[in-house]
Structures are given as C-alpha cells and as structure tokens.
Amino acid sequence: NFRSGTIIISIKSGVQKIDITQYASGVSVSQTSIQIEKDATLFTLNIESEIAWTATASADWIQITPIKSDAGTSNIEISTTENNTIDQRKGYVYIYTDAYQRAQIEIVQKGLYIKVPVVSMTFYSVAGSSQISIQSNTHWFIKELPEWLTSSVNQGEGTQTIDIITTENNSTMPRNGYIVIAHEFLNLSHKIPVTQEAKTFAIYNKNLEFGVKASSQPLNIISELPWQSITSDEWISTDIAQGNGNETVNVSVTETQSYEERFGTIDYRVVDKNICVNVHQLAKYFTITDNSFRFGSKGGVTNLTFSANEAWTIQVADSVEWVALSQTSGEGNGKVKIAVADNPSMKGRETT
C-alpha cells in the first residue's frame, strides 16, 4: 500500500511537476503458514512493524497473546486446542494496523486419522506372516479379521508396526476377506483387502486316446495336496492310485476284442475338487473293399484290398488248387493277390 502526490513548480518558462510516493508502514511476520498435529499446541512468531498493530483469530480454537503491540519487534504466542474430530481444520490469525489487514497467518491442524500405506495384502497358500505399519495419531483396535488370520497386536495407539499371521490354506479355492482397523467410538477406520492363494491341483491332459492294443500313456498330475483316483472300468488301470504332490502316473488299457469303441474315466480327487480324465479306446475293424470277384475261363490275377487294425488270416475254402493267394496272414491293412488258374472244364466253378 502506498500514497502519492505531486509538487508543481511554476516558473517563467513553464511548469515543472515532481511526483512523490510514500509507502505504508511495513508489517512482516516470521511465518505465514503453519501445519500442526491434532494435539493442543503453542508456538511463537516474530512480528516486525513500523506502527502499532492488533491481532484477531478466525476460529475459537485459536488463541492469541498478546492481541496488540506497539511499533517495533515483538513476539506473538498462538495456541490451539486439541482437535478431537476426524476432520482436518483450518484457521487464520489476521494482523491489522489501523483498520487495514496487513498480514495473515494460516494454521492447518490435522484431525484424528488411521492409515495403512498398503492397498491390499496377498499371502501364499502356506502358513506365513507379513508386517503392516499402522500410521495413526489416536487409539485404534483390530475391528475385523478373517478367521484364518491372527494379529500380533489387537489394539494400540499412535503409529505401530504389527504382524499379520496366516494359517495354511488347504483348499483349491483362494480365501478373501478384510482387515479393518478402527477407532472405538468415532466413525474412523481403514479397510485392507486381503487374499490367500489356493493350493494347486491340475491335470492338463484330460483326454487320453488309445489304440486297440494293450498300451500305456503317462499322465502328469500337478498337486500341492494329497490326492486319490478311481477308475470307472476294469480295462483301465494306473500304476499309482494315490499320492501327495506332483506325480507322473502311467495309465494303461487292455487290448480290446470288441468292434465297438470303449469309453471310460479316471476320477482324481482332492479335498474339495475333482478332475475327470476321459479315456477312449478305438474299436477293432476289418473292412473289405470288394467281396466278389469274377474271372474268365483263362483265369487271371486280381488284388484283394482291405483295411484292418488287427491280425488276420486268409484261406481258400475246401483247399482248392486252382486259387492261389500271395499272402495268408498279416496285421493291419492288407493287399493280397488272388491268382486263378485256367479252367479246362466246360463248367464254371466257384469257391470262397
């Protein structure tokens, strides 16, 4: 703030003007912004003023001593009452000279708080513990805790580090809950989501395919829990029926004698989960492309083609000598030459 004026000097040759500025009396405060805890607080500031001053507070929780002083250097004591609410509060001290506000002191006082600087907590499936730091300026207690967790401390005051201890999770389902730390009487709390991982139990190959012959296949079981198995049919067997942990099981099937497919299952179980492994065995088959051949009187050669997935034998009925086979036994798909000799007779002939 300042005031100004002009001096006018008149002479024969004209007029001269001189501008004059005078600044207002100065007031300075050693600190204009203060942050304090929730407790009742007393602090002292230094005021330098070129003129007498007065002070007022904007809120009744702020007290000032003295409320006025003469020009020069002086101290002012500012005290605050305890803030027993959960809200931060703000107030001001105003310094006046004459009727003008010359300085302002902002005072911010914290309210009651309970904080934990973690967004969430996650535990492995095994028993274990983890620490959390409770940051507070008041009394607190553990209001809510899942039954599978315990705390090293159930109540306290102010900032403190505590242990959260978990039991082992013997389930294939994760466990979820909340830790709630609260004030006993006020609507003041902090909630922390907490999760414990599940035990692993998995079989990735749930469909086994077998041919007609007796055979075996490995099956990998991944488990952190004891398990057992049950087969649905006698033609399916395993070399390990139960275990505790990861295991490679050999699954075997007997040879099928049927021309129909076989379907079965192996049911693997832990405490709260079942995994069904499907077992499929192909049927036997024997398919002939042509089941009738005709030859002229001079005879000839033709091919008998067929599809099969088992052993086979071929023979000529009545052991006639005018039909010869290139092969009489084998396994799997076949191609057999049938050779028919010249027929010297006036009569046709046939065989099987």
Side-chain angles (χ1 to χ4, degrees):
N1 296 323
F2 62 90
R3 59 186 178 181
S4 61
T6 304
I7 296 175
I8 300 174
I9 302 174
S10 299
I11 58 178
K12 289 183 179 181
S13 59
V15 176
Q16 295 289 334
K17 292 182 179 181
I18 302 173
D19 295 325
I20 298 175
T21 301
Q22 184 182 31
Y23 289 96
S25 55
V27 176
S28 64
V29 182
S30 59
Q31 197 170 347
T32 58
S33 180
I34 299 169
Q35 291 190 347
I36 58 176
E37 293 294 330
K38 60 96 178 176
D39 302 310
T41 305
L42 173 66
F43 52 93
T44 302
L45 300 181
N46 178 265
I47 298 177
E48 292 184 1
S49 178
E50 296 175 342
I51 192 173
W53 55 265
T54 60
T56 62
S58 65
D60 58 6
W61 53 273
I62 302 172
Q63 290 82 42
I64 308 164
T65 303
I67 61 172
K68 62 182 179 178
S69 181
D70 294 328
T73 300
S74 56
N75 291 330
I76 181 172
E77 288 187 346
I78 302 174
S79 62
T80 61
T81 61
E82 184 176 5
N83 185 3
N84 287 315
T85 73
I86 63 175
D87 298 316
Q88 176 179 278
R89 60 188 180 182
K90 182 185 294 186
Y92 298 90
V93 172
Y94 303 110
I95 307 299
Y96 293 90
T97 61
D98 296 328
Y100 299 99
Q101 179 184 321
R102 305 301 300 279
Q104 174 181 289
I105 305 166
E106 180 186 70
I107 302 169
V108 178
Q109 186 177 31
K110 293 180 181 179
L112 300 177
Y113 64 86
I114 298 172
K115 301 176 182 177
V116 179
V118 295
V119 176
S120 62
M121 299 182 70
T122 300
F123 292 91
Y124 294 114
S125 63
V126 296
S129 65
S130 182
Q131 288 187 330
I132 60 172
S133 175
I134 300 174
Q135 298 177 358
S136 178
N137 60 359
T138 186
H139 181 270
W140 50 263
F141 75 105
I142 306 297
K143 181 179 181 180
E144 184 178 328
L145 198 67
E147 61 180 10
W148 42 276
L149 292 178
T150 55
S151 172
S152 60
V153 174
N154 292 322
Q155 60 181 349
E157 186 167 359
T159 297
Q160 189 172 347
T161 298
I162 67 172
D163 293 318
I164 300 297
I165 303 127
T166 177
T167 59
E168 186 170 9
N169 182 11
N170 289 311
S171 169
T172 59
M173 297 294 292
R175 301 196 286 200
N176 299 286
Y178 293 95
I179 301 172
V180 179
I181 304 164
H183 192 279
E184 187 175 3
F185 304 110
L186 300 176
N187 184 24
L188 177 63
S189 64
H190 188 93
K191 179 184 285 189
I192 309 166
V194 59
T195 298
Q196 186 176 28
E197 296 176 350
K199 292 290 189 184
T200 300
F201 178 58
I203 299 174
Y204 296 111
N205 184 11
K206 299 184 181 67
N207 296 286
L208 300 179
E209 298 286 340
F210 291 89
V212 296
K213 296 291 187 179
S215 58
S216 299
Q217 290 186 37
L219 181 67
N220 293 322
I221 298 172
I222 301 171
S223 180
E224 296 178 299
L225 292 168
W227 54 267
Q228 60 182 359
S229 63
I230 299 174
T231 57
S232 62
D233 298 274
E234 293 182 354
W235 55 273
I236 305 171
S237 63
T238 60
D239 62 341
I240 303 174
Q242 60 184 11
N244 187 1
N246 297 342
E247 196 69 69
T248 298
V249 177
N250 289 312
V251 179
S252 302
V253 297
T254 60
E255 182 176 359
T256 181
Q257 303 299 325
S258 173
Y259 286 90
E260 293 184 357
E261 297 173 284
R262 296 200 290 194
F263 297 90
T265 59
I266 309 172
D267 191 23
Y268 287 90
R269 302 175 181 178
V270 294
V271 61
D272 60 354
K273 183 178 180 180
N274 291 2
I275 298 178
C276 181
V277 176
N278 299 307
V279 181
H280 173 221
Q281 188 175 30
L282 297 176
K284 287 190 173 183
Y285 62 86
F286 188 87
T287 305
I288 298 176
T289 54
D290 295 307
N291 58 7
S292 177
F293 298 98
R294 294 180 179 274
F295 293 87
S297 63
K298 295 297 184 179
V301 178
T302 191
N303 290 319
L304 172 63
T305 304
F306 52 86
S307 300
N309 63 353
E310 59 178 318
W312 47 265
T313 59
I314 302 177
Q315 64 182 17
V316 180
D318 303 326
S319 299
V320 297
E321 296 180 354
W322 53 274
V323 178
L325 303 174
S326 63
Q327 186 179 349
T328 58
S329 64
E331 186 171 355
N333 298 337
K335 185 177 182 180
V336 178
K337 289 184 178 181
I338 301 175
V340 176
D342 181 43
N343 183 7
S345 171
M346 297 296 294
K347 293 182 179 180
R349 53 188 180 182
E350 63 180 23
T351 188
T352 303

